Amino acid sequence: MAYNEQLANRVRELLIDREDVIEKEMFSGICFMVDHKMCVCVSGEELLCRIGKEKVTEELENGNCRNMMNNGRLMKDYVYVEDIAINNQKKLKYWVDLCLAFNPLAKSAKKKNM
């Protein structure tokens, strides 16, 4: 899977003090699961953030991000963040903090029976 390893390392730095982070390959990249829930993901060259539909609406108005679409379906809690909005560690921290703030409210994915 090809994803921006430098961006992934910058996200790792922000999450290093947490004990509840697991990395998992998904969305053509690496996702950082917090408390067994998808929190933030480096997908290709982009950052995929799970921030909740209210924050999605607010951040779309501010610019620098776009809705996530999956198989033609709008994913209401997620946005892809543009490079300009994460081009330094302070800006990246803003987005990771939004993800961490929403994480306790996020629903866990249903486990698939094998």
Side-chain angles (χ1 to χ4, degrees):
M1 247 175 238
Y3 58 89
N4 184 326
E5 191 67 48
Q6 182 181 7
L7 179 55
N9 285 335
R10 290 173 56 212
V11 172
R12 282 183 190 104
E13 286 177 28
L14 294 171
L15 299 173
I16 198 158
D17 293 331
R18 296 189 66 102
E19 294 180 9
D20 58 350
V21 176
I22 298 169
E23 295 183 23
K24 187 173 182 180
E25 290 184 356
M26 358 178 8
F27 299 114
S28 300
I30 190 85
C31 286
F32 298 88
M33 311 288 285
V34 175
D35 192 28
H36 303 285
K37 297 178 270 188
M38 195 297 241
C39 186
V40 61
C41 183
V42 177
S43 179
E45 294 294 318
E46 298 181 294
L47 190 70
L48 174 60
C49 295
R50 187 178 191 186
I51 59 175
K53 64 182 176 182
E54 290 81 19
K55 275 291 181 188
V56 165
T57 302
E58 184 180 318
E59 292 300 332
L60 287 171
E61 290 175 9
N62 292 335
N64 296 329
C65 66
R66 70 179 194 286
N67 282 312
M68 177 191 181
M69 300 294 288
N70 188 15
N71 295 323
R73 190 173 137 228
L74 176 67
M75 304 302 287
K76 63 183 178 191
D77 289 338
Y78 299 85
V79 290
Y80 280 104
V81 181
E82 296 178 12
D83 292 347
I84 190 109
I86 54 172
N87 62 4
N88 67 48
Q89 202 65 355
K90 183 178 178 182
K91 290 178 182 179
L92 179 61
K93 183 179 183 326
Y94 171 80
W95 287 100
V96 171
D97 286 348
L98 286 179
C99 296
L100 291 171
F102 179 69
N103 187 263
L105 306 172
K107 294 180 181 176
S108 293
K110 294 177 185 173
K111 301 219 182 221
K112 295 179 182 177
N113 293 331
M114 297 285 190

